Amino acid sequence: MHDGTVMADDERSPIARARRLADSDAAAAIRVLAGLRGAECPFSEYVAACQLLSQIAFDDRARVAAFTARVAFVGNNTSAYTEGAMRLELSQRVAADVYTGEFDGWAGDLLVRGSGLERFAPDIVIVHLASLGLTTCGTKLDPVPGERLEAALRAFASRSRAHLVWVWPEPLAECTGGCTAADRWYRETIDAARAMAARLNADGIEVLTLDPVYVLTTVAGWAAPRYWAQGKLPMHPSACAALGRRLATIVEGLTTPRVKAVAVDCDDVLWGGQVGDLGPGGVNLSAFDTGSGYVRLQRLLKEASANGILLIALSKNDEATARAVFERRSEMLLSLDDFSAFMVNWAPKAQNLHTAVSSLNIGLDTVLFLDDSRFEREQMRAVCPEVLVLELPPDADEYAAVVAATALLERPIVTNEDRRRREVYARERQREAVRDAHMSVHEFLGSLDIRLIAQPIGTDNLTRVAQLLGKTNQFNLSNRRHAPERLAALASAPATYAYCFQLVDRFGDSGIVGVLIADPTDRGSIEIDTLVLSCRAFGRTAEFGMLEHLRRWSAARARQDIEGEYRPTARNLPVARFLEEAGFARTGSTAVGERYRYDVRRGAVAGVMGEIVDGETPIVPASQ
Amino acid sequence: MKTDRQEVQDIFRAVFQDATLTLCPEMAAKDVPSWSSFTHLNLILALEERFKIRFSSDEIAAMANVGDLFEALDRHGVAAEW
C-alpha cells in the first residue's frame, strides 16, 4: 500500500476537507462539518467533527450562524461530548459560546456572587447532576442533596435572567424497572426532582426539565460506568452526544423558535393512498389498523397548530378533491380551519411555498417540510435550501415519532415571559451567499441525471402496464382502459407504437411509471391512444420524454404529425394543459375532448430533460 | 488491505490531528501534545469502533504508552504488535 492511496482516502473524508478549510475559510469548514450532523457516520468521525468545530473561533462561527447564544454547562460530570454534539447540531443556526463549569463545581458556580458562571453572563444554563456522580459510580445509594440544589437554583435565578435547563439524573445501569435498591433510589430521586421543579415553578422560577430517559432509549449500550471511571462521563459518549443533540433543540427553541410553520403534503402523509385515485372515501384513515400512523401525525400537527405553529397544505392534487377529504371524512383530526394556507394544485411545491410564506409574512427558514416523496424533499432542498426538510421514514407508523423526536414542534412553557424574554442577536442573513446556493426547479431537474428507458410493451411488462392503465386516474390523457388481451394485441401490431417507460434518476430506479400507445391514421399521422403516468413520477419531466420518444419513432417512420385528444374526466385535470406545454397546437374540440397536433419535423417537444434510451430489459451495470 | 498496525496508526493520526505521527512502542501521552484525557477517550472510542472490540475499565486506565495499548489490542485479537 503506498501513500497515494492514503492521501486519496484523506481527501474524501469530510473531516480532512474541513480541517484543510478551517484556517482559510471557516464558513466552508463549518458547512462541511454540519453535513455530519446527525448523519449516520461512524461515531469516531462524529466526535472528530465536534472536536474540530470546537477549535473554530467563536467569532468565525458567529459569522455563519444567524443567532448566537451563551450556553453554560454546570454539573457533576464531564460534558465534553454533550457540549460538542450540541454545538455541532446548532452550528448553522446558532453559534454557541460555551462555558464549562469546574467538575462538581455547580454549587459554587450557582451560589457565589461573581463566580465564573455569573461572569460568563449566560443566556442558558444547563444543570446536569448525573446519577453516577450522585452515587459515586453506583456504589452509594444515598439520598441526593436536593435542598442544596434547590437553594442554588433559587439563588442563581434571583441574580440572572438566564433560562435554566435541568437535566434529570439517568437510571443506574442496575435498574431493572422493578424493585431493586437501584430502582428505589432512582424513583425517589426523580420524584424529588419533580417535586422540586413544581415548587420552583410555583414561585415563578421557570426551570425547564429534561428527563434523559427518552433520549437514552434511542442509544444501545448507553449505560457504561467504565467511562465514568476513566473520564467521569455519565454514560457512553454516544449517549452523551445524543443528549447534546436533544439539548440543541432546547437551546434553539429558547434562542429563536426554529419552526413557525409546517408545510405538509397530503397523500400518504395525512392519509394513506392517493386521493386522486382512491377518491375522498377511499383514502386510509383507519385508526384501528394501518391508518393510525397518519392520524397520529395529524394529532401532532393539531397540537402544533394549537401552540401557534402555522400549517400549510402543500399537495399536488385537485384542490376540491383534497378538500373533500377534510370535509367528508369524520376520522380527520385536522380541519381546513387549522390551515393558514391550502396550496393544493399542480405547480412545483417550492413555488407554492414561496407564495404561502410571503402571504403569511414568515421566512422560508422557519418552515418545516413534511413529504413522503424523496423527489419532493430533494427538490425542496435544492430549490429552497433554507427550508428544514425532514426525512420521513418509509412507514407511516413511524411518522409521528420521527417528527416528535426533532422536538421542533415543542414549545418550552413560558410562565413569566416578560422576565424571560431575551433579546437575540438576530442579524441579517448573508443573503448573497444563500442565493448562490439556490437552484431553480429547472436546474434541480437538470442535476437529477434523469434517464427514461423505453421498453416495448410485451409479456415481461404486460402486468405492470395493465395495472398502470387500470389505476391511473390523474395523469391519464384519454382515460381508455385496455384489458390485458387488448394490450397484447396492440403491442403485437407492427404499425402500432406501444411502449412503457422506466424512470431512473440519481435517487434510484422508480420502475415502470408511464405508458404511451399510439396508432397510425390514414391521414399519415399517428394518434395518441393512451398516455398515462404514475403520480409517483409527476414533475420529473418523464411525460415530455415519453412524447419525445414517440416523436423520434414517428419521424423515423415518416409520420408527419402526432395527434392527440385530451378527454376530461372528474380526475384528470393535471393533464389538461400537458399537450400544450409540450408544444402541441390546439386544433379544435370534439364531443368528448380537445384535439391537439404536433408537427414531427419541428424537432424535440418542449420540456424534455435528461436522456431517453431504448432498452429491451431493465438496464444492467456497464461492468457486466 | 491495510495491516492492523497501519489502521491503528491512521486512527492515531486522525484523533491527534497529526498526519505525520509515527507510532513506536515507547510513545506515551507526554510525547504527543494533543494527547489529553479527552483525546485519550476519543482514541479508545475510535479503536473500539474500528475493531469492534470493547476494552475493560482496567485496560483503559492502564494504557500508559503505545506499547501497553498494543498489548491490550493483542488481547482482543488485533494484530497491532510491534
mmCIF file of all heavy atoms in Angstrom, chain A residues 410-425:
data_model
loop_
_atom_site.group_PDB
_atom_site.id
_atom_site.type_symbol
_atom_site.label_atom_id
_atom_site.label_comp_id
_atom_site.label_asym_id
_atom_site.label_seq_id
_atom_site.Cartn_x
_atom_site.Cartn_y
_atom_site.Cartn_z
ATOM 1 N N GLU A 410 -42.174 21.409 19.679
ATOM 2 C CA GLU A 410 -42.392 21.638 21.114
ATOM 3 C C GLU A 410 -42.186 23.109 21.428
ATOM 4 O O GLU A 410 -41.321 23.753 20.867
ATOM 5 C CB GLU A 410 -41.366 20.833 21.933
ATOM 6 C CG GLU A 410 -41.882 19.505 22.414
ATOM 7 C CD GLU A 410 -40.824 18.770 23.220
ATOM 8 O OE1 GLU A 410 -40.279 19.358 24.172
ATOM 9 O OE2 GLU A 410 -40.557 17.612 22.878
ATOM 10 N N ARG A 411 -42.949 23.596 22.333
ATOM 11 C CA ARG A 411 -42.744 24.962 22.789
ATOM 12 C C ARG A 411 -42.444 24.905 24.281
ATOM 13 O O ARG A 411 -43.291 24.447 25.054
ATOM 14 C CB ARG A 411 -44.000 25.806 22.540
ATOM 15 C CG ARG A 411 -44.216 26.138 21.093
ATOM 16 C CD ARG A 411 -43.240 27.245 20.651
ATOM 17 N NE ARG A 411 -43.315 27.464 19.223
ATOM 18 C CZ ARG A 411 -42.536 26.858 18.327
ATOM 19 N NH1 ARG A 411 -41.638 25.961 18.713
ATOM 20 N NH2 ARG A 411 -42.639 27.132 17.052
ATOM 21 N N PRO A 412 -41.261 25.377 24.703
ATOM 22 C CA PRO A 412 -40.996 25.407 26.135
ATOM 23 C C PRO A 412 -42.070 26.241 26.816
ATOM 24 O O PRO A 412 -42.495 27.261 26.289
ATOM 25 C CB PRO A 412 -39.633 26.098 26.227
ATOM 26 C CG PRO A 412 -39.034 25.967 24.883
ATOM 27 C CD PRO A 412 -40.165 25.929 23.910
ATOM 28 N N ILE A 413 -42.519 25.808 27.982
ATOM 29 C CA ILE A 413 -43.594 26.522 28.687
ATOM 30 C C ILE A 413 -43.062 27.877 29.145
ATOM 31 O O ILE A 413 -41.992 27.964 29.724
ATOM 32 C CB ILE A 413 -44.060 25.732 29.914
ATOM 33 C CG1 ILE A 413 -44.481 24.330 29.483
ATOM 34 C CG2 ILE A 413 -45.198 26.449 30.626
ATOM 35 C CD1 ILE A 413 -44.325 23.304 30.573
ATOM 36 N N VAL A 414 -43.813 28.901 28.851
ATOM 37 C CA VAL A 414 -43.387 30.241 29.245
ATOM 38 C C VAL A 414 -44.390 30.775 30.252
ATOM 39 O O VAL A 414 -45.530 31.051 29.919
ATOM 40 C CB VAL A 414 -43.286 31.173 28.027
ATOM 41 C CG1 VAL A 414 -42.891 32.569 28.459
ATOM 42 C CG2 VAL A 414 -42.271 30.618 27.042
ATOM 43 N N THR A 415 -44.007 30.847 31.510
ATOM 44 C CA THR A 415 -44.932 31.299 32.539
ATOM 45 C C THR A 415 -44.688 32.759 32.904
ATOM 46 O O THR A 415 -45.530 33.420 33.450
ATOM 47 C CB THR A 415 -44.781 30.473 33.822
ATOM 48 O OG1 THR A 415 -43.406 30.510 34.195
ATOM 49 C CG2 THR A 415 -45.238 29.049 33.610
ATOM 50 N N ASN A 416 -43.498 33.240 32.637
ATOM 51 C CA ASN A 416 -43.154 34.592 33.063
ATOM 52 C C ASN A 416 -42.396 35.254 31.931
ATOM 53 O O ASN A 416 -41.220 35.559 32.031
ATOM 54 C CB ASN A 416 -42.284 34.502 34.316
ATOM 55 C CG ASN A 416 -42.224 35.826 35.034
ATOM 56 O OD1 ASN A 416 -42.607 36.864 34.486
ATOM 57 N ND2 ASN A 416 -41.734 35.805 36.252
ATOM 58 N N GLU A 417 -43.137 35.481 30.868
ATOM 59 C CA GLU A 417 -42.482 35.824 29.616
ATOM 60 C C GLU A 417 -41.680 37.116 29.710
ATOM 61 O O GLU A 417 -40.586 37.207 29.184
ATOM 62 C CB GLU A 417 -43.519 35.930 28.502
ATOM 63 C CG GLU A 417 -42.901 35.730 27.153
ATOM 64 C CD GLU A 417 -43.942 35.628 26.068
ATOM 65 O OE1 GLU A 417 -45.137 35.589 26.398
ATOM 66 O OE2 GLU A 417 -43.551 35.602 24.907
ATOM 67 N N ASP A 418 -42.220 38.111 30.429
ATOM 68 C CA ASP A 418 -41.527 39.385 30.493
ATOM 69 C C ASP A 418 -40.145 39.232 31.109
ATOM 70 O O ASP A 418 -39.167 39.790 30.636
ATOM 71 C CB ASP A 418 -42.340 40.391 31.318
ATOM 72 C CG ASP A 418 -43.599 40.776 30.580
ATOM 73 O OD1 ASP A 418 -43.611 40.595 29.344
ATOM 74 O OD2 ASP A 418 -44.556 41.228 31.223
ATOM 75 N N ARG A 419 -40.102 38.435 32.158
ATOM 76 C CA ARG A 419 -38.826 38.265 32.834
ATOM 77 C C ARG A 419 -37.866 37.443 31.981
ATOM 78 O O ARG A 419 -36.661 37.623 32.038
ATOM 79 C CB ARG A 419 -39.053 37.554 34.172
ATOM 80 C CG ARG A 419 -37.865 37.602 35.098
ATOM 81 C CD ARG A 419 -38.225 37.061 36.458
ATOM 82 N NE ARG A 419 -38.242 35.602 36.508
ATOM 83 C CZ ARG A 419 -37.166 34.854 36.711
ATOM 84 N NH1 ARG A 419 -35.989 35.418 36.888
ATOM 85 N NH2 ARG A 419 -37.256 33.562 36.759
ATOM 86 N N ARG A 420 -38.431 36.543 31.211
ATOM 87 C CA ARG A 420 -37.600 35.584 30.493
ATOM 88 C C ARG A 420 -37.179 36.027 29.094
ATOM 89 O O ARG A 420 -36.245 35.473 28.532
ATOM 90 C CB ARG A 420 -38.348 34.251 30.347
ATOM 91 C CG ARG A 420 -38.562 33.560 31.647
ATOM 92 C CD ARG A 420 -37.251 33.101 32.203
ATOM 93 N NE ARG A 420 -37.408 32.599 33.549
ATOM 94 C CZ ARG A 420 -36.406 32.334 34.365
ATOM 95 N NH1 ARG A 420 -35.174 32.536 33.976
ATOM 96 N NH2 ARG A 420 -36.635 31.890 35.573
ATOM 97 N N ARG A 421 -37.933 36.984 28.582
ATOM 98 C CA ARG A 421 -37.686 37.286 27.171
ATOM 99 C C ARG A 421 -36.259 37.763 26.960
ATOM 100 O O ARG A 421 -35.757 38.615 27.646
ATOM 101 C CB ARG A 421 -38.669 38.333 26.668
ATOM 102 C CG ARG A 421 -38.473 38.641 25.173
ATOM 103 C CD ARG A 421 -39.610 39.442 24.611
ATOM 104 N NE ARG A 421 -40.828 38.657 24.544
ATOM 105 C CZ ARG A 421 -42.022 39.107 24.885
ATOM 106 N NH1 ARG A 421 -42.160 40.322 25.327
ATOM 107 N NH2 ARG A 421 -43.069 38.340 24.771
ATOM 108 N N ARG A 422 -35.632 37.190 26.009
ATOM 109 C CA ARG A 422 -34.232 37.514 25.719
ATOM 110 C C ARG A 422 -34.151 38.173 24.361
ATOM 111 O O ARG A 422 -34.778 37.743 23.409
ATOM 112 C CB ARG A 422 -33.380 36.247 25.670
ATOM 113 C CG ARG A 422 -33.163 35.630 26.974
ATOM 114 C CD ARG A 422 -31.683 35.515 27.245
ATOM 115 N NE ARG A 422 -31.489 35.783 28.652
ATOM 116 C CZ ARG A 422 -30.917 36.861 29.104
ATOM 117 N NH1 ARG A 422 -30.441 37.756 28.276
ATOM 118 N NH2 ARG A 422 -30.797 37.044 30.387
ATOM 119 N N GLU A 423 -33.345 39.227 24.328
ATOM 120 C CA GLU A 423 -33.061 39.764 23.010
ATOM 121 C C GLU A 423 -32.082 38.826 22.321
ATOM 122 O O GLU A 423 -31.048 38.495 22.878
ATOM 123 C CB GLU A 423 -32.451 41.160 23.131
ATOM 124 C CG GLU A 423 -33.469 42.235 23.406
ATOM 125 C CD GLU A 423 -34.562 42.257 22.342
ATOM 126 O OE1 GLU A 423 -34.220 42.258 21.146
ATOM 127 O OE2 GLU A 423 -35.739 42.256 22.720
ATOM 128 N N VAL A 424 -32.408 38.371 21.188
ATOM 129 C CA VAL A 424 -31.461 37.525 20.469
ATOM 130 C C VAL A 424 -30.681 38.388 19.496
ATOM 131 O O VAL A 424 -31.127 39.460 19.114
ATOM 132 C CB VAL A 424 -32.174 36.393 19.704
ATOM 133 C CG1 VAL A 424 -32.744 35.401 20.673
ATOM 134 C CG2 VAL A 424 -33.235 36.956 18.799
ATOM 135 N N TYR A 425 -29.541 37.931 19.161
ATOM 136 C CA TYR A 425 -28.689 38.694 18.273
ATOM 137 C C TYR A 425 -29.034 38.353 16.832
ATOM 138 O O TYR A 425 -28.261 37.711 16.124
ATOM 139 C CB TYR A 425 -27.219 38.383 18.541
ATOM 140 C CG TYR A 425 -26.746 38.730 19.916
ATOM 141 C CD1 TYR A 425 -27.062 37.938 21.008
ATOM 142 C CD2 TYR A 425 -25.959 39.862 20.113
ATOM 143 C CE1 TYR A 425 -26.628 38.249 22.276
ATOM 144 C CE2 TYR A 425 -25.518 40.183 21.378
ATOM 145 C CZ TYR A 425 -25.856 39.368 22.450
ATOM 146 O OH TYR A 425 -25.408 39.688 23.684
#
